[in-house]
Amino acid sequence: MSQITVRRLNFNFSQDIEKYWLNQSAFKTHLFNSLTISVTDIEKYLTLNVKKRINFIDNPQLKQEAQAFIGQETQHLLQHTKFWANLHYLGYEFDTHLSWLRWILFNILERGMSTNLNLAISAGIEHLTILIAEFILEDNSLAEADPQLKKLFEWHAVEEIEHKTVLFDVLQNATKNYLLRISGMLIAYILVFSFLNLGLITLLYQDKKLLDKKVWWEFIKFWITKDKFLYKALLSATDYLRKDFHPTQKDHLFLIKKVTVTV
Ligand SMILES: [Fe+2]
Ligand SMILES: [Fe+2]
């Protein structure tokens, strides 16, 4: 039986949620808002790729895990999209950002590239997602966030850890081509980091905070000096380069145990 639990949470985000709902920081709030904007189409892309492959999976347990993966990711994208109404209510516009993201994901990659390359990119995105889940759960980064958004991101992080092996195993079930796996990871890192930062810039620009010194100081602290996210991303990419890499090699269960997700 699959250990991946599909929880059906139903978020209802109040319009009273503060504009800067995370530590009253424009940088941190918009970093997570940017994730909320991009994650919907990225996760739609992941589920599409798994759906294309699922009937060819010859391992019954993996097939069941792939079904549960689709269930979890579908819930994530549905719940994150609900917060878009709050962002629109606050006056933010991100249609152009979404058009570019959708064009790359669905026109260039999904329709233009092979199923196996798309699976490799998807596995790379899932590897990167774990890094974000670690940032959320290990460092308790959302301790002072609005409670509903804290719950949204922590629930999401827990389920990312629960299904962290699925796309890697689906890819390996389709092909064990090492170069394809690595190419997928590189494309995934470039894609996710580009759109994460583009979304951040889009929102900060609309707040007229692109030249704000505090924002840039926090940007440097996040990527380089305090949270060292750039260094962690490079480390995790290097780990993925190992020929015998598998997502189970790093223990994340202790992180899940720290969080109680109530439906
Ligand atoms: Fe997800
Ligand atoms: Fe995921």
Side-chain angles (χ1 to χ4, degrees), residues 50 106 152 163 242 248:
V50 173
F106 304 112
L152 173 76
H163 70 229
R242 283 188 295 110
T248 48

Side-chain angles (χ1 to χ4, degrees), residues 2 5 79 123 165 197 231 260 262:
S2 165
T5 311
Q79 300 306 320
T165 58
N197 282 308
Y231 169 72
T260 316
T262 47

